[in-house]
């Protein structure tokens, strides 16, 4: 589908690919639930490439979409699963993972939830930093399998992977919740806002948010309740992949502000 495009542009064109999947996503959602983990593993192995060097965390290897992959050129309606958000290492997740790896004490010995975990990079970073217990939550079953595979690539036991939607569920006793690139939709951001408040009020949970400064994030009311923890300049290739965004930041959510 994208065979004639420059390799460094691949994320923006994967986004186009994802957009073209929307019309038939309901039928495809059933596909993952009908396949074994072994089948999904085989599919991921055959249709992704191991990369990492061009990200903010070159020490972390991940299976992602690249121009060398079959579905770069294939008709999108042949994609058998839900939209492959797990196949991209989004810039907010990159910043969050880099922040943890630079300061392992943030999650060492703690119970950690990576919400909307996608490829599992932040969960992997938390495990590398010595977190006592890590849960990766993504509603896509394929993302859970990808997280297992990416953990194994990095010599780690996979985190606990949950595919139920945890947003709005009874607040669990996590010490730390990680959210990378989750503020892309206003309704989702609003539901996150109220749920995070309950987690903090009930358990004193710390919340870290990674985002490259998307409009939906900057314009949401939660933005005034955040304290900047770190900002990272994105590698040139990541800038080009993400429409020229130059930096990605990590924020601490402080509802008392």
């Amino acid at each position: 589908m994208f065979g004639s495009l420059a390799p460094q542009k691949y994320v923006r064109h994967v986004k186009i690919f994802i957009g073209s999947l929307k019309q038939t996503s309901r039928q495809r959602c059933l596909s993952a639930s009908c396949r074994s983990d072994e089948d999904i593993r085989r599919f991921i192995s055959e249709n992704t490439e191991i990369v990492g060097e061009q990200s903010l965390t070159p020490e972390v290897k991940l299976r992602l979409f690249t121009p060398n992959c079959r579905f770069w050129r294939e008709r999108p309606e042949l994609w058998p699963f839900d939209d492959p958000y797990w196949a991209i290492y989004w810039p907010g997740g990159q910043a969050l993972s880099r922040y943890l790896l630079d300061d392992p004490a943030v999650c060492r010995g703690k119970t950690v939830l990576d919400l909307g975990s996608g490829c599992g990079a932040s969960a992997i970073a938390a495990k590398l930093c010595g977190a006592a217990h890590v849960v990766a939550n993504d509603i896509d079953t394929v993302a859970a399998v990808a997280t297992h595979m990416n953990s194994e690539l990095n010599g780690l036991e996979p985190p606990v992977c949950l595919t139920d939607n945890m947003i709005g569920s009874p607040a669990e006793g996590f010490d730390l919740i990680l959210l990378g690139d989750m503020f892309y939709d206003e309704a989702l951001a609003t539901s996150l806002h109220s749920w995070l408040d309950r987690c903090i009020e009930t358990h004193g949970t710390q919340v870290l948010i990674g985002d490259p400064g998307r409009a939906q994030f900057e314009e949401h009311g939660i933005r005034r309740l955040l304290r900047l923890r770190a900002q990272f300049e994105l590698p040139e290739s990541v800038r080009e992949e993400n429409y020229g965004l130059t930096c990605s930041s990590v924020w601490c959510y402080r509802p008392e502000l």
Side-chain angles (χ1 to χ4, degrees), residues 8-66:
Q8 70 270 28
K9 310 295 184 184
Y10 80 89
V11 167
R12 69 179 66 179
H13 297 296
V14 170
K15 293 175 184 175
I16 294 171
F17 174 78
I18 288 173
S20 67
L21 293 174
K22 297 295 184 184
Q23 292 182 341
T24 57
S25 62
R26 185 171 300 173
Q27 292 87 342
R28 285 195 311 275
C29 283
L30 299 175
S31 176
S33 63
C34 297
R35 294 199 184 194
S36 68
D37 282 3
E38 184 179 348
D39 287 341
I40 297 174
R41 278 177 171 266
R42 186 180 305 111
F43 181 89
I44 293 173
S45 295
E46 293 172 352
N47 292 284
T48 59
E49 187 174 26
I50 298 173
V51 296
E53 293 79 5
Q54 301 302 314
S55 74
L56 281 174
T57 58
E59 63 267 56
V60 176
K61 298 181 178 65
L62 300 168
R63 284 195 167 275
L64 303 174
F65 260 174
T66 77

Side-chain angles (χ1 to χ4, degrees), residues 1-14 66-68 72 237 240-241:
M1 179 179 176
F2 306 124
S4 62
L5 299 171
Q8 70 270 28
K9 310 295 184 184
Y10 80 89
V11 167
R12 69 179 66 179
H13 297 296
V14 170
T66 77
N68 298 323
W72 196 261
S237 60
E240 293 175 348
E241 292 160 4

Side-chain angles (χ1 to χ4, degrees), residues 31 40 44-45 58 64 67 89 107 155 164 168 173 183 200 233 245-246:
S31 176
I40 297 174
I44 293 173
S45 295
L64 303 174
Y89 193 11
C107 56
D164 294 332
F183 289 83
I200 293 170
E233 185 174 336
L245 292 168
T246 59

Side-chain angles (χ1 to χ4, degrees), residues 8-243:
Q8 70 270 28
K9 310 295 184 184
Y10 80 89
V11 167
R12 69 179 66 179
H13 297 296
V14 170
K15 293 175 184 175
I16 294 171
F17 174 78
I18 288 173
S20 67
L21 293 174
K22 297 295 184 184
Q23 292 182 341
T24 57
S25 62
R26 185 171 300 173
Q27 292 87 342
R28 285 195 311 275
C29 283
L30 299 175
S31 176
S33 63
C34 297
R35 294 199 184 194
S36 68
D37 282 3
E38 184 179 348
D39 287 341
I40 297 174
R41 278 177 171 266
R42 186 180 305 111
F43 181 89
I44 293 173
S45 295
E46 293 172 352
N47 292 284
T48 59
E49 187 174 26
I50 298 173
V51 296
E53 293 79 5
Q54 301 302 314
S55 74
L56 281 174
T57 58
E59 63 267 56
V60 176
K61 298 181 178 65
L62 300 168
R63 284 195 167 275
L64 303 174
F65 260 174
T66 77
N68 298 323
C69 300
R70 168 193 166 195
F71 277 92
W72 196 261
R73 299 168 295 280
E74 192 61 270
R75 300 198 315 276
E77 62 268 23
L78 296 179
W79 180 260
F81 301 118
D82 201 358
D83 306 339
Y85 293 105
W86 54 267
I88 302 173
Y89 193 11
W90 302 94
Q94 292 195 32
L96 203 51
S97 300
R98 182 71 270 159
Y99 177 73
L100 297 180
L101 292 167
D102 285 348
D103 189 2
V106 171
C107 56
R108 185 182 297 125
K110 296 181 179 179
T111 58
V112 179
L113 170 64
D114 181 8
L115 188 70
S117 50
C119 65
S122 294
I124 289 169
K127 287 186 74 71
L128 287 170
C129 292
H133 182 66
V134 180
V135 174
N137 176 228
D138 198 295
I139 59 173
D140 186 353
T141 302
V142 183
V145 177
T147 294
H148 272 248
M149 296 175 70
N150 287 332
S151 298
E152 292 161 3
L153 268 180
N154 291 279
L156 298 171
E157 284 292 319
V160 175
C161 291
L162 302 179
T163 56
D164 294 332
N165 185 358
M166 295 183 67
I167 301 171
S169 65
E172 299 287 343
F174 292 102
D175 300 314
L176 176 65
I177 296 178
L178 308 172
L179 301 98
D181 304 280
M182 287 290 284
F183 289 83
Y184 55 84
D185 175 84
E186 185 174 356
L188 174 62
T190 300
S191 63
L192 270 172
H193 190 172
S194 58
W195 183 71
L196 292 172
D197 281 350
R198 290 200 301 275
C199 293
I200 293 170
E201 181 180 349
T202 306
H203 299 289
T205 304
Q206 182 183 16
V207 177
L208 295 177
I209 297 169
D211 196 274
R214 296 185 182 88
Q216 299 94 323
F217 174 71
E218 294 292 338
E219 296 168 4
H220 196 274
I222 198 173
R223 177 64 178 77
R224 63 183 174 81
L225 303 175
L226 304 179
R227 288 273 179 87
L228 183 65
R229 282 290 188 90
Q231 186 174 74
F232 300 94
E233 185 174 336
L234 294 170
E236 185 62 31
S237 60
V238 180
R239 295 186 191 191
E240 293 175 348
E241 292 160 4
N242 288 275
Y243 302 94

